[in-house]
Amino acid sequence: MAGESIGWKSALWLHNGTTLVKLAGVVSITPPDPVMDEVEVTDLDATNRYRDFIPTMRDSGMVSAVLNYVGGSATDTMLRAAKIAADDRAWEIVYSDEDGVPLRKVSGTGWVKRLSEPEITLDGVKQVTLEIRVRGASTEAAAA
């Protein structure tokens, strides 16, 4: 099937207090996957012994990413400050097509929930995991 593509040239951006900044060293990005919570409303007269549920509140999900760790870099410094501040920041994921041309973007706001410490090994690249808790609905648009 034509049109499949790899993640090449896709990007994750995070607001630094002044502007959106492209994060350096991003290896993978997992976009938010909003879900609808539910509550059970089954009663003793349930038809054919089936449980029954109704929707309740939406969970906006999380943005997560794995980044190559470069201690003291602009990306490292900004992410550590964002984790400490725990404030709402704009974020944006840019999807690129098979030629690396920006195709669409998903954006929203959230706060840095987790920034892991890098794993240190003899043979591996040090990497960190970033998790941004999304607040409210994300928006989708064509990439400019």
Side-chain angles (χ1 to χ4, degrees), residues 73-126:
S73 67
T75 293
D76 177 53
T77 301
M78 181 181 74
L79 291 178
R80 290 185 183 285
K83 178 182 177 183
I84 291 167
D87 56 353
D88 283 345
R89 293 172 183 241
W91 57 265
E92 184 173 281
I93 298 170
V94 177
Y95 293 79
S96 295
D97 68 11
E98 63 274 6
D99 297 319
V101 176
L103 183 62
R104 70 182 182 102
K105 63 182 177 180
V106 175
S107 58
T109 60
W111 47 274
V112 173
K113 179 176 179 174
R114 177 175 178 239
L115 179 65
S116 71
E117 288 296 324
E119 180 180 5
I120 302 168
T121 66
L122 286 176
D123 298 327
V125 173
K126 290 182 275 185

Side-chain angles (χ1 to χ4, degrees), residues 24-55:
V26 176
V27 175
S28 67
I29 305 166
T30 303
D33 184 18
V35 296
M36 180 71 77
D37 286 337
E38 63 188 18
V39 64
E40 185 174 352
V41 294
T42 308
D43 62 31
L44 295 175
D45 292 323
T47 305
N48 294 323
R49 297 173 51 165
Y50 282 97
R51 294 183 183 276
D52 193 15
F53 299 86
I54 59 171

